């Protein structure tokens, strides 16, 4: 049998191999010269460029039959994504679900160890019982809380997952009333969800003084505070005026605790401190017993400490000054979230903290740290307090305080 001629032998004489014509392609800066752009009219359908189809021949009919399902799938995908992106807000998590699924950060505008820090950590401990998730405490001292509130308002999403707690006066009220340029926020527009650990101020002195009379007789006194617009500065003003003390304010302490320790060390002569915080240091032997309580009636927790009205001769003018200063020196730790926080989240937080304030376990822990316990502002009482606090006229008070800052 004769062998079959090879393919080469069957080629006609004069035959010459020629390279196939290169197909026209479109390229982008990110594409290579051999990669057709999907929207180029010269590029073959994706199915023809599939490595599994190499070497096959496709008719126009086959191409259409294979490409049509791809286009239908693409159209269905685009439609589905559009529906998802425009779905109603009902698909979003409810506030209850949001807090069960996410941890919360509590910013404290003070160093660790002070009253606000201790109070904040008690709230963080009981948050899981109320919301079902953890609360992380982050200390951010500076400016009496202004640094922390700046961070809350300008660097955090208003999603209710970051809150701030600090003394109301130094962090919120006074920066607003004085138009403090360091405060990059309008405190009157924040949402306040809890006021906690209300307590009166007491006057404490360094060990070189054994009574209020010693303080009254002294000259060139110094008193330490966090900043000139701190609540205890306004609490101190009626005392300074009534006793006609020659005193100068020393500012810059990052927390109430630092100011109290400065008194204990003799770095400054006197200061005003929250009742519970002062008595804790008294029990530890760090401070001596306070000389007076800035209230009209004695406290059952320190029954032997006289009130301001008992310890000092109060003229009608001083009485008026006392009442003017009261809205500016309420010692209450206030919890706030940014103004753009959704209403339903704000409502949930207010309700959650109301339930926490009514919790026996929270109150038990609060009483271990604060003589008056949680003593919380919630509900309508909280909103009434906020409304009044941001409508105080204190120009005359500032005039009196300025002479102690020179």
């Amino acid at each position: 049998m004769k062998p079959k001629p090879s393919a080469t032998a069957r080629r006609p004489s004069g035959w010459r191999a020629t390279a196939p014509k290169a197909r026209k392609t479109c390229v982008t800066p990110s594409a290579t010269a051999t990669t057709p752009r999907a929207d180029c009219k010269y590029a073959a359908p994706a199915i023809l460029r599939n490595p599994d189809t190499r070497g096959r021949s496709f008719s126009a009919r086959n191409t259409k039959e294979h490409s049509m399902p791809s286009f239908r799938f693409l159209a269905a995908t685009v439609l589905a994504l559009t529906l998802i992106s425009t779905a109603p807000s009902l698909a979003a998590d409810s506030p209850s679900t949001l807090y069960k699924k996410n941890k919360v950060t509590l910013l404290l505008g003070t160093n660790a160890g002070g009253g606000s820090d201790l109070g904040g950590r008690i709230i963080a401990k009981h948050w899981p019982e109320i919301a079902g998730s953890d609360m992380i405490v982050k200390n951010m001292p500076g400016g009496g809380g202004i640094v922390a509130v700046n961070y809350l308002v300008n660097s955090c999403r208003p999603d209710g997952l970051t809150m701030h707690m600090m003394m109301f006066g130094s962090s919120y009220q006074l920066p607003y009333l004085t138009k403090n340029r360091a405060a990059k926020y309008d405190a009157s527009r924040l949402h306040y969800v809890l006021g906690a650990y209300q307590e009166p101020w007491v006057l404490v002195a360094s060990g070189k003084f054994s009574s209020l009379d010693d303080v009254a007789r002294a000259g060139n006194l110094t008193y330490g505070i966090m900043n000139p617009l701190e609540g205890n500065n306004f609490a101190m003003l009626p005392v300074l005026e009534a006793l006609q003390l020659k005193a100068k304010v020393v500012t810059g302490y990052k927390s109430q605790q630092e100011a109290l320790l400065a008194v204990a060390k003799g770095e400054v002569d006197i200061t005003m401190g929250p009742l519970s915080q002062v008595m804790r240091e008294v029990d530890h032997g760090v401070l001596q017993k306070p000389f007076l309580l800035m209230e009209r009636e004695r406290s059952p927790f320190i029954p032997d400490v006289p009130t301001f009205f008992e310890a000092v001769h109060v003229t009608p003018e001083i009485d008026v000054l006392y009442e003017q200063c009261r809205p500016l020196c309420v010692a209450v730790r206030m919890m706030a979230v940014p103004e753009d926080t959704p209403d339903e989240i704000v409502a949930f937080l207010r309700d959650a903290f109301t339930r926490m304030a009514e919790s026996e376990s929270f109150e038990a822990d609060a009483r271990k740290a604060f003589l008056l316990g949680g003593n919380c502002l919630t509900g309508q009482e909280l909103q009434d307090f906020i409304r009044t606090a941001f409508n105080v006229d204190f120009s005359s008070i500032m005039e009196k305080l300025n002479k102690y800052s020179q």
Side-chain angles (χ1 to χ4, degrees):
M1 180 183 293
K2 292 183 180 181
K4 291 182 179 180
S6 66
T8 303
R10 293 199 300 269
R11 292 171 183 164
S13 61
W15 180 90
R16 184 176 65 182
T18 59
K21 290 183 179 180
R23 61 177 177 174
K24 189 169 183 178
T25 62
C26 296
V27 296
T28 63
S30 61
T32 64
T34 60
T35 304
R37 199 175 68 192
D39 61 351
C40 177
K41 66 180 179 179
Y42 293 101
I47 190 170
L48 297 182
R49 300 196 302 271
N50 191 311
D52 294 336
T53 65
R54 289 177 184 172
R56 300 182 185 178
S57 175
F58 287 85
S59 65
R61 179 180 178 183
N62 290 337
T63 301
K64 182 177 181 180
E65 290 173 354
H66 284 79
S67 60
M68 283 303 292
S70 297
F71 291 130
R72 288 172 182 167
F73 176 79
L74 177 61
T77 302
V78 171
L79 177 60
L81 291 174
T82 302
L83 291 174
I84 292 173
S85 64
T86 58
S89 58
L90 293 176
D93 287 339
S94 66
S96 177
T97 303
L98 172 72
Y99 286 107
K100 287 178 181 178
K101 292 168 57 176
N102 296 278
K103 294 181 179 179
V104 170
T105 298
L106 175 59
L107 304 174
L108 298 175
T110 183
N111 282 325
S116 293
D117 175 74
L118 183 58
R121 292 179 189 278
I122 293 173
I123 289 173
K125 174 184 175 181
H126 291 273
W127 176 255
E129 303 170 8
I130 302 298
S133 63
D134 292 333
M135 178 180 281
I136 301 170
V137 174
K138 182 177 181 180
N139 294 91
M140 191 174 288
I146 290 177
V147 171
V149 182
N150 277 338
Y151 178 77
L152 173 75
V153 173
N154 300 300
S155 299
C156 298
R157 295 178 59 185
D159 53 10
L161 296 179
T162 306
M163 312 175 204
H164 171 263
M165 191 177 81
M166 184 61 179
M167 283 293 190
F168 176 70
S170 63
S171 292
Y172 308 110
Q173 181 190 35
L174 293 170
Y176 170 81
L177 293 174
T178 61
K179 297 179 174 60
N180 189 336
R181 292 184 179 181
K184 308 301 182 183
Y185 54 89
D186 182 346
S188 70
R189 300 179 67 86
L190 301 180
H191 296 292
Y192 297 92
V193 294
L194 174 68
Y197 314 115
Q198 297 179 84
E199 52 188 335
W201 297 98
V202 291
L203 176 69
V204 293
S206 67
K208 67 181 181 181
F209 303 103
S210 59
S211 67
L212 185 61
D213 288 339
D214 290 344
V215 174
R217 287 192 293 265
N220 300 319
L221 289 169
T222 56
Y223 68 98
I225 57 176
M226 293 169 63
N227 65 71
L229 298 176
E230 181 66 27
N232 55 357
N233 198 18
F234 294 100
M236 182 72 78
L237 181 58
V239 177
L240 297 175
E241 293 288 299
L243 296 178
Q244 299 182 353
L245 297 178
K246 294 181 179 180
K248 184 175 182 180
V249 63
V250 177
T251 63
Y253 296 102
K254 293 183 179 180
S255 67
Q256 294 285 348
Q257 186 70 11
E258 281 193 9
L260 291 176
L261 292 179
V263 171
K265 296 175 182 178
E267 296 174 359
V268 292
D269 297 318
I270 55 176
T271 192
M272 284 278 183
L275 173 61
S276 296
Q277 196 169 351
V278 168
M279 294 310 297
R280 186 167 61 249
E281 300 304 324
V282 171
D283 292 341
H284 293 163
V286 177
L287 289 171
Q288 62 177 325
K289 188 172 63 176
F291 289 163
L292 63 82
L293 172 72
M294 288 303 292
E295 292 288 329
R296 290 186 179 275
E297 297 181 2
R298 293 198 181 198
S299 168
F301 299 101
I302 47 172
D304 55 342
V305 175
T307 68
F308 169 67
F309 292 87
E310 293 173 327
V312 175
H313 174 63
V314 177
T315 65
E317 292 77 16
I318 296 297
D319 197 340
V320 170
L321 178 62
Y322 173 86
E323 289 300 325
Q324 290 175 333
C325 290
R326 273 214 50 97
L328 295 166
C329 63
V330 175
V332 58
R333 282 89 178 177
M334 194 68 70
M335 185 92 71
V337 293
E339 63 173 294
D340 292 331
T341 304
D343 292 342
E344 61 271 19
I345 290 180
V346 174
F348 176 87
L349 289 174
R350 286 174 176 164
D351 178 69
F353 285 121
T354 297
R355 286 184 281 121
M356 182 183 290
E358 296 170 351
S359 164
E360 292 182 2
S361 59
F362 168 76
E363 184 63 21
D365 281 344
R367 286 192 176 277
K368 294 176 184 177
F370 301 92
L371 290 177
L372 303 182
N375 202 17
C376 294
L377 278 173
T378 60
Q380 191 59 47
E381 185 182 11
L382 171 62
Q383 302 314 310
D384 291 344
F385 171 84
I386 295 298
R387 187 163 42 254
T388 301
F390 286 114
N391 289 282
V392 175
D393 180 9
F394 67 109
S395 56
S396 62
I397 297 175
M398 289 304 301
E399 290 180 5
K400 291 181 172 64
L401 276 176
N402 284 338
K403 66 183 180 182
Y404 298 104
S405 301
Q406 299 173 354

